[in-house]
């Protein structure tokens, strides 16, 4: 049985590389997106919503800092499920704000991001991550 389990696991070795690629890709896209938002601060800040009695400029700064922090965490593979869950929640709020008034085409990109975040919530960080190194399960020693 041990041999068949190893063969089955070896069959899916490349999945860790795919998860690494997806983490680096989505993290890089988020960083570039936030650089663009920061470069056009004057144009964007007035159109940004004010949430929870916080003005739009403070909301903009908090969201940008959070997106950069979570993008770096995704790229490093540190607390990936938590980071992806927070980002998915943010995308869900964005979809709920945009979709009812503007329709699917306006919220299409948010749906794509949401799908990627849900994938990362399900898959986790993979073998090539800080999560795997920090939270590795200790091998169970057989009783002699």
């Amino acid at each position: 049985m041990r041999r068949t389990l190893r063969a089955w696991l070896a069959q899916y070795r490349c999945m860790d590389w795919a998860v690494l690629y997806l983490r680096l890709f989505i993290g890089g896209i988020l960083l570039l997106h936030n650089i663009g938002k920061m470069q056009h601060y004057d144009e964007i800040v007035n159109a940004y919503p004010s949430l929870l009695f916080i003005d739009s400029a403070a909301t903009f700064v908090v969201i940008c800092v959070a997106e950069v922090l979570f993008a770096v965490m995704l790229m490093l593979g540190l607390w990936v499920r938590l980071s992806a869950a927070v980002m998915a929640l943010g995308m869900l709020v964005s979809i709920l704000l945009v979709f009812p008034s503007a329709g699917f085409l306006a919220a299409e990109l948010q749906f794509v991001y949401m799908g990627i975040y849900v994938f990362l919530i399900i898959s986790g960080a993979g073998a090539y991550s800080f999560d795997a190194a920090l939270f590795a399960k200790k091998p169970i020693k057989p009783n002699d």
Side-chain angles (χ1 to χ4, degrees):
M1 173 147 167
R2 180 175 272 172
R3 177 182 250 175
T4 57
L5 181 61
R6 282 187 185 164
W8 184 78
L9 289 174
Q11 175 181 341
Y12 294 102
R13 252 185 323 190
C14 63
M15 292 305 292
D16 289 319
W17 287 104
V19 172
L20 173 65
Y21 168 77
L22 187 65
R23 282 191 358 247
L24 293 174
F25 177 77
I26 195 66
I29 292 292
L30 282 171
L31 286 177
L32 292 174
H33 171 72
N34 276 290
I35 290 170
K37 279 185 0 184
M38 290 176 202
Q39 287 176 340
H40 295 49
Y41 173 82
D42 293 333
E43 301 166 14
I44 295 175
V45 72
N46 294 328
Y48 232 71
S50 59
L51 301 173
L52 303 172
F53 307 109
I54 302 172
D55 67 334
S56 60
T59 303
F60 177 82
V61 170
V62 167
I63 289 176
C64 281
V65 168
E67 284 181 347
V68 167
L69 177 69
F70 289 128
V72 170
M73 288 171 63
L74 286 175
M75 291 175 76
L76 292 175
L78 184 61
W79 298 314
V80 169
R81 285 191 166 116
L82 175 66
S83 301
V86 171
M87 295 300 289
L89 183 64
M91 282 296 119
L92 182 62
V93 169
S94 178
I95 288 169
L96 292 175
L97 291 175
V98 171
F99 185 71
S101 61
F104 178 75
L105 290 178
E108 186 176 9
L109 188 57
Q110 285 93 339
F111 279 110
V112 171
Y113 280 127
M114 184 75 156
I116 292 171
Y117 296 138
V118 169
F119 174 84
L120 288 173
I121 292 169
I122 293 168
S123 72
Y128 307 112
S129 64
F130 277 103
D131 281 352
L134 293 174
F135 305 115
K137 294 180 182 175
K138 295 178 183 173
I140 300 171
K141 295 180 182 178
N143 294 334
D144 293 319

